[in-house]
């Protein structure tokens, strides 16, 4: 590799974490995002040989976004044929100092305190929240791409237009429509990290101690639980609705825990969540959406090909 390509590779390496975040926000799949960014590098080298690319990050953001939009459009057909609910692929990171929980042994009240990490170190500004990714799944590919690029990553509408293949005015309307849809879906406001940890800790204590009344109290009355097994492993084929039904569903799962199973507090897209292990094998990632001091949504990712991927850099 010559000096020019060394500089190109260094510039691309510096831009890579942002490129992965952009592709992941558009696709909801970290593995697909990594593939798109790898393909972008090959296209960048080809383009640079034809004509030097002066602003590598700007060029690559547009190229990655176009490729991700193409992948998303083709993926929509597959997702319509998916067995059961389709959930985005979560980004899992370690929660420093958080002890594993033995669901078979139960817990003493208050013993499931969440560690300060990752919520204080990895903010939702650094990663797209899981709750938002779930809502983005309800948008059209063009709406999603316009919203992600403009509202989340700050690209001007003329650059977004170059990605989507529409006029800046049309893209502005796409983003506005997506914004209204996100609001209509009841996206909860940002929650203070300490408050989020408090609610998640109370949830963990109630679940692992088998306390139905306490668990119902920590759940929003209209809580929704969604489980994605991809037709490969057991999962609820339809959303579970309401605090009583969700609480009984969760306690039913925990009641079947065997010796050697454990629950590990982890970061899920920068917020406190859990990973579940059976016989030493990761089987579930749990994301909790918190609103007004209670758990408003429980997402359980069980499809094996979505478990798990380390958090993208940055």
């Amino acid at each position: 590799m010559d000096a020019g390509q060394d500089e190109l590779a260094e510039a691309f390496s510096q831009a890579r974490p942002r490129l992965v975040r952009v592709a992941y926000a558009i696709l909801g799949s970290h593995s697909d995002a990594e593939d798109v960014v790898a393909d972008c590098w090959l296209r960048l080298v080809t383009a640079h040989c034809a004509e030097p690319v002066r602003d590598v990050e700007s060029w690559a953001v547009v190229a990655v976004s176009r490729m991700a939009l193409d992948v998303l459009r083709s993926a929509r057909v597959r997702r319509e044929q998916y067995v059961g609910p389709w959930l985005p692929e979560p980004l899992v990171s370690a929660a420093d100092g958080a002890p594993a929980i033995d669901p078979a042994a139960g817990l003493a009240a208050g013993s499931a305190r969440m560690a300060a990490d990752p919520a204080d170190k990895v903010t939702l500004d650094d990663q797209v929240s899981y709750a938002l990714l779930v809502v983005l799944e309800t948008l059209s590919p063009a709406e999603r791409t316009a919203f992600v690029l403009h509202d989340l990553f700050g690209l001007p509408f003329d650059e977004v237009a170059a990605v989507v293949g529409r006029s800046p005015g049309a893209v502005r309307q796409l983003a506005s429509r997506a914004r209204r849809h996100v609001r209509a879906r009841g996206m909860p406001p940002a929650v203070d990290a300490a408050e989020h940890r408090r609610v998640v800790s109370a949830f963990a204590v109630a679940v692992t101690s088998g306390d139905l009344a306490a668990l119902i109290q920590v759940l929003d009355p209209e809580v929704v639980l969604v489980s994605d097994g991809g037709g490969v492993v057991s999962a609820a084929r339809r959303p579970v609705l309401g605090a009583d039904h969700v609480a009984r569903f969760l306690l039913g799962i925990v009641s079947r825990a065997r010796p050697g199973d454990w629950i590990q507090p982890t970061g899920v897209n920068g917020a406190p969540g859990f990973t579940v292990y059976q016989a030493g094998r990761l089987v579930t990632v749990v994301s909790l959406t918190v609103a007004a001091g209670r758990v408003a949504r429980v997402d359980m990712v069980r499809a094996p090909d979505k478990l798990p991927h380390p958090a993208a850099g940055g």
Side-chain angles (χ1 to χ4, degrees):
M1 187 180 291
D2 60 29
Q5 284 218 338
D6 284 342
E7 293 177 2
L8 189 70
E10 176 62 25
F12 187 81
S13 178
Q14 291 180 2
R16 190 180 181 283
R18 185 167 189 248
L19 299 177
V20 173
R21 289 198 300 271
V22 168
Y24 174 62
I26 292 173
L27 292 168
S29 167
H30 189 264
S31 53
D32 286 347
E34 291 277 7
D35 289 344
V36 164
V37 172
D39 190 27
C40 177
W41 164 245
L42 300 177
R43 297 191 184 192
L44 173 62
V45 171
T46 300
H48 187 74
C49 289
E51 181 178 350
V53 176
R54 304 300 180 189
D55 188 338
V56 170
E57 181 168 330
S58 295
W59 186 96
V61 166
V62 171
V64 160
S65 301
R66 283 175 174 164
M67 288 186 284
L69 178 57
D70 288 341
V71 172
L72 181 61
R73 283 170 172 156
S74 63
R76 298 289 283 197
V77 176
R78 297 197 306 272
R79 292 178 189 179
E80 289 171 0
Q81 300 168 345
Y82 198 76
V83 177
W86 194 97
L87 288 173
E89 186 179 314
L91 294 180
V92 177
S93 56
D96 296 343
I101 301 167
D102 181 353
L107 288 178
S111 65
R113 292 189 301 274
M114 298 293 292
D117 293 326
D120 289 339
K121 287 186 177 179
V122 184
T123 69
L124 296 187
D125 292 332
D126 294 320
Q127 295 183 17
V128 181
S129 76
Y130 199 78
L132 179 56
L133 280 176
V134 169
V135 174
L136 293 181
E137 286 299 318
T138 64
L139 303 177
S140 72
E143 288 172 342
R144 179 171 183 160
T145 302
F147 179 86
V148 165
L149 294 180
H150 181 264
D151 286 48
L152 299 187
F153 291 94
L155 267 66
F157 282 119
D158 57 344
E159 292 186 26
V160 179
V163 172
V164 178
R166 304 191 189 184
S167 69
V171 168
R172 187 184 299 272
Q173 290 181 345
L174 283 173
S176 177
R177 191 159 62 240
R179 209 173 297 123
R180 289 196 302 271
H181 188 84
V182 168
R183 286 197 298 265
R185 294 281 300 199
M187 266 297 297
V191 178
D192 174 76
E195 169 73 357
H196 201 137
R197 286 198 308 276
R198 181 193 68 77
V199 174
V200 173
S201 294
F203 172 90
V205 170
V207 167
T208 53
S209 63
D211 191 333
L212 177 63
L215 182 54
I216 289 174
Q217 281 299 309
V218 81
L219 297 174
D220 184 277
E222 298 182 1
V223 64
V224 177
L225 181 148
V226 176
S227 181
D228 175 357
V232 179
V233 297
S234 62
R237 291 293 182 92
R238 293 182 177 85
V240 182
L241 308 177
D244 185 73
H245 289 148
V246 169
R248 293 179 187 277
F249 180 86
L250 290 168
L251 294 184
I253 293 174
V254 173
S255 70
R256 296 191 292 273
R258 300 175 181 176
D261 295 350
W262 78 89
I263 301 169
Q264 180 68 52
T266 55
V268 180
N269 288 65
F274 302 96
T275 45
V276 181
Y277 294 81
Q278 292 179 346
R281 183 171 60 89
L282 175 62
V283 295
T284 308
V285 174
V286 181
S287 171
L288 302 177
T289 300
V290 173
R294 292 184 175 182
V295 174
R297 182 178 171 106
V298 181
D299 288 301
M300 304 177 67
V301 180
R302 306 202 70 239
D305 60 352
K306 297 180 181 179
L307 299 176
H309 292 276

